[in-house]
Amino acid sequence: MTIKLKDAIIKALPSPEKGNKITYDSEVKGFGCRVTAAGTRSFVLNYRTRSGRERRITIGSFPDWQTSAARDEAKELKRRIDRGEDPMTEVEADRNAKTVADLCDRYAEEHLPKKRASSAEDDRAMIARYIKQDGEKAAKIEPRLKHLKVNEVTFSDIDGLHRAITKRGHPYVANRVLALLSKMFNLAIRWQWRADNPCLGVERNQEEKRDRYLSQEELTNLVKALAEHDDKQAADIIRMLLLTGARRGEVQAAKWNQFDLTNGVWTKPGATTKQKTVHRVPLSAPARQMLSELHYAAEASDKPMSEYVFPGRGGKGHRQELKKDWRELCLTAGLVDTETITDAKGRERVVVTPNARLHDLRHTYASMLASAGLSLPIIGALLGHTQPQTTARYSHLMDDPLRQATERVGAVFTQNGEGAEVHHLKGKS
């Protein structure tokens, strides 16, 4: 049945007992109103493509769309169809367009295996907390990108998320999330999911380089705390960090086949280093001694020997978590900041927070080398740096040995332990 559809007629159309029923318009062929058993009314257009394929596209629901507007839209669609276009192709492409969640999944599947284990772990945590916002630790902040189409994400979406994380008090994390998203959208361009990167132009938060080194007294206290710590494996990992200056992930994932204990050499495979290159470093006598004792204990154990120096609990993989142990060690060694906080009721409480990170042990190792007068190239070689400017941050720590050297020259001018006479030069009048 065809009839010129009007709003009043649309309202009066009866609902079928089941399924849906379409009443067609007499003015525009194929244009009609579909009514479902639930009473929902939608405008549709039936059409045939040039290849003869029959299609049906939904224009919109009533009363969101008035009949006259829906009819005009149907006429425009028919003009496009006459030009050889297929409007449903665009609808289906949009329906199947990849979401940010899809982008996260492909990034995790194809790109994360190329990264170091610790870096991949950090990326997964940021994706879950801030981008997908899945799980108990989800940040639950706006905007939520997970369900957005990759090709619809805007600069404002990215900038808004960066600002939201910053307002939570995590400016550095906001920068890390921004860098992660930028990498993901660069890959989206390569995968032809969109043509540009919406992260470009987002202003990053200013960051200050962290220069935290443990003093001799702090080192002494930490060594004592390590000796008394209940978790011997955690203590040994931290000793290894102190003795080698290696990164935490390198030590935790270290395997026995990387070590030549006879010659005292640790060869780190390129897959485990930040620079993706093999890094061969000598081991000090204390490091060799500790590793030899661990190797002997592993061989003497009734359990099968793990390939890892520091195996995970249950013998699977390697040791992962150290946060709890490091916090306890900082508290014991006094590596903390204390702050008195007053609540709304005027009650005061003292908050104790560790002021040293595990990565600061790497800085401490480098500072000790610099203060001992070793050259920056040697320090860089031990740390595995490939760029001289990376090591240059420790140059100021060489002031002490340089001062000692110049004092030796100054000592030439002293006699019998007494200072030399200083003559002040007067300028010409």
Side-chain angles (χ1 to χ4, degrees), residues 51-344:
S51 62
R53 184 180 181 186
E54 293 185 356
R55 305 278 262 170
R56 175 180 294 160
I57 186 170
T58 301
I59 295 172
S61 60
F62 177 85
D64 294 337
W65 281 74
Q66 298 296 304
T67 307
S68 58
R71 182 182 288 108
D72 290 341
E73 178 68 11
K75 291 178 180 178
E76 175 59 29
L77 288 171
K78 287 179 72 68
R79 281 192 285 270
R80 291 174 56 191
I81 294 165
D82 290 341
R83 292 195 298 266
E85 297 180 30
D86 184 357
M88 273 302 295
T89 300
E90 297 177 8
V91 174
E92 290 171 346
D94 183 66
R95 185 182 299 152
N96 297 326
K98 301 297 185 180
T99 65
V100 173
D102 295 325
L103 179 59
C104 291
D105 292 342
R106 184 167 179 181
Y107 176 83
E109 180 181 353
E110 297 185 16
H111 188 72
L112 285 187
K114 303 175 184 178
K115 304 188 71 172
R116 290 181 300 131
S118 59
S119 298
E121 180 183 349
D122 291 340
D123 281 3
R124 289 191 183 93
M126 287 190 289
I127 287 171
R129 182 168 176 76
Y130 297 106
I131 303 176
K132 279 190 169 183
Q133 297 194 35
D134 288 337
E136 296 180 357
K137 295 184 178 181
K140 296 181 180 179
I141 56 178
E142 297 295 337
R144 301 191 179 189
L145 305 180
K146 178 179 179 179
H147 297 298
L148 293 181
K149 299 287 195 299
V150 171
N151 58 7
E152 293 178 348
V153 176
T154 65
F155 169 89
S156 296
D157 294 324
I158 303 297
D159 187 54
L161 181 61
H162 184 260
R163 290 174 181 272
I165 299 172
T166 301
K167 287 181 179 179
R168 286 284 186 95
H170 306 298
Y172 291 3
V173 174
N175 287 352
R176 301 292 91 73
V177 173
L178 176 60
L180 172 59
L181 281 167
S182 183
K183 177 62 180 179
M184 291 169 63
F185 278 103
N186 280 336
L187 290 173
I189 295 171
R190 181 188 303 175
W191 298 331
Q192 298 183 348
W193 288 9
R194 69 175 290 150
D196 62 341
N197 188 333
C199 300
L200 296 180
V202 176
E203 186 176 355
R204 287 169 168 76
N205 298 314
Q206 184 176 356
E207 297 188 28
E208 295 181 1
K209 289 290 185 180
R210 182 181 173 92
D211 291 320
R212 173 71 168 97
Y213 315 100
L214 273 61
S215 67
Q216 186 59 53
E217 181 181 357
E218 288 175 326
L219 274 173
T220 301
N221 292 339
L222 178 58
V223 170
K224 182 179 179 182
L226 288 170
E228 299 171 352
H229 192 59
D230 292 335
D231 191 333
K232 186 177 183 303
Q233 186 188 66
D236 286 338
I237 293 174
I238 294 170
R239 287 192 186 95
M240 190 74 171
L241 293 173
L242 274 170
L243 290 169
T244 63
R247 296 179 177 86
R248 178 174 62 88
E250 295 171 347
V251 172
Q252 287 179 265
K255 297 181 179 181
W256 286 117
N257 61 11
Q258 299 171 9
F259 294 93
D260 179 353
L261 296 181
T262 302
N263 295 309
V265 176
W266 180 10
T267 303
K268 306 173 191 176
T272 66
T273 64
K274 187 175 182 179
Q275 290 75 20
K276 300 296 182 183
T277 57
V278 175
H279 182 209
R280 188 174 182 274
V281 289
L283 297 168
S284 65
R288 293 167 64 183
Q289 178 66 29
M290 185 185 76
L291 288 168
S292 296
E293 291 175 358
L294 289 173
H295 192 269
Y296 177 80
E299 285 185 323
S301 174
D302 295 334
K303 300 178 181 178
M305 185 171 176
S306 172
E307 63 177 329
Y308 293 102
V309 178
F310 303 106
R313 290 182 173 85
K316 295 183 179 180
H318 58 78
R319 177 69 178 262
Q320 296 283 349
E321 192 55 60
L322 286 175
K323 289 182 180 178
K324 180 180 177 182
D325 295 280
W326 179 243
R327 177 178 174 80
E328 292 177 358
L329 286 164
C330 285
L331 294 176
T332 303
L335 306 177
V336 295
D337 289 327
T338 58
E339 180 182 6
T340 301
I341 297 179
T342 304
D343 62 19

